[in-house]
Amino acid sequence: MTPETGGMLYAAIAAHAVGRPQKTALSRGEHKLSYRELADACDTLAARLRELGVGAENVVVIDLPVGFDTIVAMAAVGQVGAAFTLLEPDLPDSRKQLIVDDCGPAALITESGPRRGPRPGPPLDERLVRRTSPAAYVAYTSGSTGAPKGAVVEQAALENHVLRTIDWYGLTSDDTRLLFSSIAFDLALEQICTSMVAGCELVFRDEAFVYGGAEDFLHHCRRLGVTVLSLPTGVFNRFGAELAASAGHTAPELRLVMAGGEAPTQGAVAAWATVAPGGTRVVNGYGPTETAVVVCYRDLLPGDAIAIGAPIDGVRFLLEPLGEEGNASGLVIQGVAVGRGYLGHAASSSAFCLLDGEWSYRTGDVATAKGDGGYDLHGRYDAQVKVNGGFRVEPGEIVSRLLSVDFVVDAVVVPFEAAGGRLLAAYVRLDKSLAPPPDPEAAIVRLLAASLPDYMVPSRVTVLDEFPLTSRGKVDRAVLLDRAKALPSTDVEDDADPSDVTAQLRRAWRQVLGAPPEDESTSFFAAGGNSVRAIELITEVRGRLNVSLRAAELYRTPQFDALARLLADRRDGIPTAHHTTGTTLVRMRPAGEDRLWVFLPPLSGAVTRYASLARLLPADDTVWAMETPPELSGKGMAALADGLAEVLLASGVERFGSICVSGFSLGGVFGYEVARRLHDRCGDAVRALLIDPPDPGAHRVRVEDAFDIFVRVGWSITIPAQRFVDEHGGFDLAAVTAAAKDAGTLARDAGQQEIEDAWAVYESNARVLDGLLLSPPDGLKVRILQGDTGGQIDYARRGPTTVTADGGKPWTGGHAIGQWRDVLPDEAVDKLPVDHFALLESPNDELVRDWLDAQARR
C-alpha cells in the first residue's frame, strides 16, 4: 500500500501474513502473536473503525496499556487511512484530556474497545496543508503557551524513515527487537515500525523483565535473543557507565545499539561497543518530534568525538545564520521528513516555514558542518531544553502551570546539569495574601504531577521571597542556575557510615533528584522521579550499598522510609517481595543453633509479614519462615500441617536447642498444629508462641472476607473491595491489578499473573479452618498474644510504644476464647490494645518482639 492511500504499517503486516503467516510478530513471555494472527486482529479492528465513520485524514487517539493491542490499533488506524495519536498510559488524565480536546479525534481506542470521539474535529488536511501524502500520526510535545502541541507527520515521511533505518541497521526478519521506549516517545515508532516492515519479532518486556541495572538488563536481552536495540540516551549513558565499571556482562547476539534523544557520552559508547564478544555496532540517532522520528544516523567508534551524521535519503540539512554577524548557524531540516506543522498553531509557529521555496523545520539547534559530512551540535538558540535523557520541553509550559496554582504569583524554571543528565528546577513566589499549605513545595509538585508528564515535573521546587534581579531589573537566571547547581549542605550524611542504609539512600536520592527527600514519607516519583531517574537511583543504590534494587520494587515502594526498610531487609538477607517467594521454607536469617524461630504462613501465605520481626529478634537467633506450598493448597489443615512439619524435620530442625514456633493470625493456628507435630519428635525444646490466632470454631473465613483483606491489606488499595465483585459474585482481578498499580504496590509493568497467584493462596487459606477441632497441647508449652481494640476495626490503630508508667509490661492478661478455651487456660493468654491488622506494623512490631522474647525465655 503506497503512502497515497496510507497504511504502510498494515500493508507490511498483511504481506508477511501471506508470505510467512506462522512467523512470530509479537511476543511477551509465553504469549505470542503470529503475523497472520496480527493481520486478522487488524482487519477486525479496522472494520469497527469504519463502522464508526473513521476515514482518511481523521485522528484516532489510542489510549491503551502498552501491549499487542497497541500495535493492532496503530496498524488498523493506518489501514482506514486515518492518523493515530498515542497516549502514554501513565499520563495524567487532565493531560490526556488536553490532547483529546486539541486533536479532535473521530474515535478513541481504549481497553473497552473503539468508540466515537466526544467532539470530532475536521479532517487534518483541512486544518493543516497536506504536503506529500496522508497524515500518519500526530505526536505531542511541550508547548510554551501552557498546552501541549501536536505535530502532524505524514505517511511518506514515516515510510522514508522506516526504509532508510532498515537499510542503515541492516535489519532482516532474523532480527529480534525490544520495545523499550515510552510509547508516546517517537523512538517507540522506530522500534515498532521497522520491526513490522522488516518482518522481525518485536519483544515486549514481560513480567520477568525486572532489571536493577545494566547486568540484569543484558541478562534479559540474552534471554529474549535481542539483536538490535534502541535506547533513550539517558538510559544508554547510565547503563554505559555501569558497563564501563564492570566486566563480563555480554549479550552475544546484540549486534547493534542505537542511542536517541540527545548526545551520548564517549564512555558509554566505548562500553556498549564491547557487550558482544565480536563487538557491537553503536549508532547515534538524531531527529526532532516535528520530523519523522530519526533523520540522520552516525556510527560511533570508541574514542570518536560525538556528532550527528549526514541526513538520510530524502532529507536535507540547511545551516541558517543566526544574528547579524552570522557566527553561529541554526540547523534547518528540509525534505520529505518534515511534518505539516502544529495543530491549531499554523499561523503562529515560526518553526515551520518556507525557505528557498521548500517546506522546512527550524530545529532550534545550533550546528556546524564537519568535513566528513556529519554535524556538530552546540546547544540551542531557543527557549526549549532537553531533559531526562532526551525529552524536549518548553519551560514556558511549566511556568504557565505554576502560575495556575492559586497561591503562586510568579515562577521561573531553569535547567541544570546533574548526575545522569539535565534536570529542571522551579523557583516560585507565593501570594502573601493567601494562606499557602504547610508544605507549599510538596503541594506544588503534587499539583504539577497531576497535570504534566513526569519528565516535565521539576526535580526541585524552591519558594523565594523575591527573585534576584540584574542591574536592568530582569530576573537574574544565572543566579538561580547557580542555586540549582548547588547541593544542599549534607555534612552529617557525607560523614555517615557507608553501611548506614538510610544515610546512603538519602545521598543517592539527592544525587539523582538534586535534593534530599523533604521528609521520610516523600515519594520518589512525587519528588520528580521518572523511569529514567529510577534507573539512576537503582544504580546509585547498588554502588553505595552493594544491594540490588529492581525497578518494579521501586514503583511498588517509592516512599523514602519504606524504601530504606526494604533495602535494609535486602542487605540483611530478608525477603522483601510482596508476593510469595515460591519456596516453602525461607531461611530469613541464619545465625547460631541455640534458638530457632519458625513463623508459619498467615492468610496471605507470604513470609514478608515477618520481615520486621526477623530483623528485630535477638541477633544470635536463627529465623525461618514458611509459605503455603502450592501442592498442599486446598487440602485442609491436617495435610498442610503434616507437610510443613515434615519440611522442617527434613531441614534439620532437631539440631536447635530451643524451637519457638509462631505465626500471625491464621498463621497462629498453623503454628499450633505444626508445633504439636514437632513436639512429638523434638520434645520440650518446642514451644508455640502465637500472635492473635482466630478461634477455629467461630472464625470460618468467608472467601468474600478474604478478598476484602486481600484488596485492602494485601495490596493497600483504598477502593472498597466490593467494587471489584461482579453481579455473579466473581472477582475482577484485572481491575484489582490496575488498582494495585495505582496504589504503588504492584509494578506498573507487571501483568495480572502476580495478582492471580497471590489470590489463589488467599482463597486456599481462607478455607483451611473448615471442620478443624483443636486437640489439647499434650505437654506443649503454648502462649497467645491477642490484639484488642474493643471491637473497633481500624487498619491503622497503634498501641503503646513504651512500658507503662508503673514500670510494668505494655501487655495485660487476656482470656482464652472459643476452641482455645477448651485447650488452654486464661493464664496462657496476654493482650495488647492494638488492632489485629496493625500488630506487626511499626512501632507495634517492637512490642510483639518484646513479648516473643520474654515468652521464649520463660
Side-chain angles (χ1 to χ4, degrees), residues 10-56:
Y10 172 76
I13 292 170
H16 293 312
V18 173
R20 55 189 76 180
Q22 302 308 314
K23 173 74 164 61
T24 297
L26 310 175
S27 65
R28 183 172 189 171
E30 298 300 316
H31 188 198
K32 298 182 184 297
L33 204 66
S34 70
Y35 273 98
R36 177 70 269 165
E37 292 168 327
L38 178 57
D40 289 345
C42 295
D43 290 339
T44 299
L45 180 56
R48 296 182 65 186
L49 291 174
R50 290 190 184 98
E51 290 172 359
L52 293 175
V54 178

Side-chain angles (χ1 to χ4, degrees), residues 164-509:
R164 301 290 81 77
T165 300
I166 290 173
D167 289 345
W168 190 272
Y169 290 176
L171 206 62
T172 73
S173 60
D174 293 330
D175 281 304
T176 299
R177 304 215 57 192
L178 174 69
L179 181 57
F180 181 87
S181 297
S182 160
I183 197 66
F185 192 18
D186 58 1
L187 193 58
L189 296 183
E190 178 261 316
Q191 295 157 33
I192 294 168
C193 294
T194 59
S195 298
M196 297 296 95
V197 172
C200 300
E201 177 179 342
L202 181 65
V203 177
F204 291 73
R205 286 180 280 177
D206 57 18
E207 288 78 9
F209 203 119
V210 180
Y211 54 83
E215 181 178 359
D216 282 352
F217 180 76
L218 289 181
H219 162 76
H220 290 298
C221 287
R222 291 194 299 271
R223 175 175 66 86
L224 299 170
V226 174
T227 60
V228 176
L229 185 63
S230 298
L231 293 175
T233 308
V235 177
F236 178 91
N237 287 344
R238 174 56 64 176
F239 283 170
E242 273 191 64
L243 293 170
S246 59
H249 304 307
T250 60
E253 304 301 321
L254 191 58
R255 64 177 185 83
L256 183 146
V257 179
M258 192 275 278
E262 56 183 340
T265 64
Q266 288 181 312
V269 170
W272 278 104
T274 62
V275 297
T280 299
R281 186 177 165 200
V282 179
V283 176
N284 186 20
Y286 168 84
T289 302
E290 291 79 0
T291 63
V293 193
V294 176
V295 293
C296 68
Y297 292 103
R298 183 181 182 90
D299 280 65
L300 296 176
L301 297 175
D304 281 355
I306 304 301
I308 64 172
I312 59 177
D313 290 350
V315 180
R316 293 171 297 282
F317 287 173
L318 175 69
L319 294 179
E320 183 181 39
L322 300 174
E324 296 181 1
E325 298 181 2
N327 294 328
S329 298
L331 182 63
V332 178
I333 300 175
Q334 298 179 321
V336 69
V338 180
R340 292 181 187 174
Y342 300 118
L343 285 177
H345 300 267
S348 61
S349 173
S350 61
F352 290 96
C353 59
L354 282 171
L355 287 177
D356 299 331
E358 288 198 55
W359 186 241
S360 308
Y361 173 69
R362 292 187 174 103
T363 66
D365 289 318
V366 180
T368 54
K370 295 173 64 70
D372 60 7
Y375 292 80
D376 289 317
L377 297 181
H378 310 284
R380 297 189 63 82
Y381 63 82
D382 60 10
Q384 294 180 350
V385 294
K386 283 190 175 182
V387 296
N388 294 305
F391 290 98
R392 198 176 81 236
V393 304
E394 291 269 9
E397 181 177 359
I398 304 169
V399 169
S400 176
R401 294 287 168 157
L402 287 166
L403 294 178
S404 69
V405 177
D406 55 7
F407 55 84
V408 173
V409 295
D410 204 355
V412 177
V413 174
V414 297
F416 68 97
E417 299 296 332
R422 188 178 296 114
L423 304 176
L424 293 170
Y427 295 91
V428 298
R429 291 194 304 115
L430 305 184
D431 187 340
K432 297 181 179 178
S433 67
L434 299 175
D439 187 352
E441 292 93 345
I444 289 170
V445 168
R446 287 194 297 270
L447 290 168
L448 292 181
S451 60
L452 294 175
D454 56 7
Y455 60 83
M456 293 181 67
V457 178
S459 64
R460 188 180 309 167
V461 175
T462 304
V463 173
L464 298 177
D465 290 333
E466 297 293 340
F467 289 157
L469 302 177
T470 65
S471 59
R472 296 187 177 182
K474 295 184 177 181
V475 174
D476 195 330
R477 291 178 174 269
V479 172
L480 295 179
L481 182 58
D482 287 341
R483 289 193 185 192
K485 292 178 180 178
L487 292 174
S489 175
T490 53
D491 294 339
V492 174
E493 290 172 12
D494 289 339
D495 293 336
D497 183 342
S499 65
D500 185 331
V501 172
T502 300
Q504 293 301 326
L505 175 60
R506 194 180 302 276
R507 294 175 71 183
W509 187 294

Side-chain angles (χ1 to χ4, degrees), residues 734-790:
V736 175
T737 301
K741 291 178 181 181
D742 290 341
T745 48
L746 182 67
R748 296 184 188 181
D749 59 355
Q752 188 174 323
Q753 190 64 47
E754 186 168 337
I755 294 288
E756 291 177 355
D757 291 345
W759 171 238
V761 174
Y762 270 87
E763 186 175 24
S764 172
N765 283 352
R767 305 178 189 277
V768 80
L769 295 184
D770 287 345
L772 175 64
L773 291 176
L774 294 176
S775 299
D778 293 331
L780 173 69
K781 297 178 181 178
V782 182
R783 298 286 298 189
I784 290 179
L785 179 68
Q786 291 177 334
D788 178 25
T789 54

Side-chain angles (χ1 to χ4, degrees), residues 582-727:
T583 304
T584 301
L585 178 63
V586 181
R587 292 171 170 83
M588 300 186 76
R589 195 186 70 195
E593 296 186 356
D594 180 31
R595 183 162 62 187
L596 169 69
W597 292 91
V598 179
F599 292 97
L600 277 298
L603 181 64
S604 68
V607 300
T608 47
R609 261 302 193 182
Y610 306 118
S612 63
L613 291 179
R615 185 173 60 247
L616 294 171
L617 287 167
D620 293 335
D621 293 356
T622 291
V623 183
W624 294 353
M626 305 193 79
E627 295 186 339
T628 305
E631 64 272 16
L632 295 178
S633 292
K635 294 190 175 181
M637 177 64 81
L640 184 55
D642 286 342
L644 294 174
E646 287 302 320
V647 169
L648 290 169
L649 290 167
S651 302
V653 70
E654 293 170 281
R655 72 179 183 269
F656 290 92
S658 174
I659 305 166
C660 298
V661 182
S662 186
F664 165 70
S665 192
L666 179 62
V669 184
F670 283 137
Y672 180 74
E673 293 294 316
V674 170
R676 286 182 58 253
R677 287 158 173 79
L678 291 181
H679 184 256
D680 291 341
R681 290 281 297 271
C682 304
D684 291 342
V686 180
R687 63 186 63 201
L689 306 176
L690 316 176
I691 307 168
D692 212 14
D695 168 22
H699 193 81
R700 298 288 189 268
V701 182
R702 296 190 312 140
V703 173
E704 293 79 4
D705 293 335
F707 185 72
D708 178 75
I709 297 170
F710 174 73
V711 169
R712 297 180 62 186
V713 182
W715 295 99
S716 302
I717 296 171
T718 57
I719 301 171
Q722 187 60 36
R723 295 190 186 178
F724 303 107
V725 180
D726 62 31
E727 59 184 2

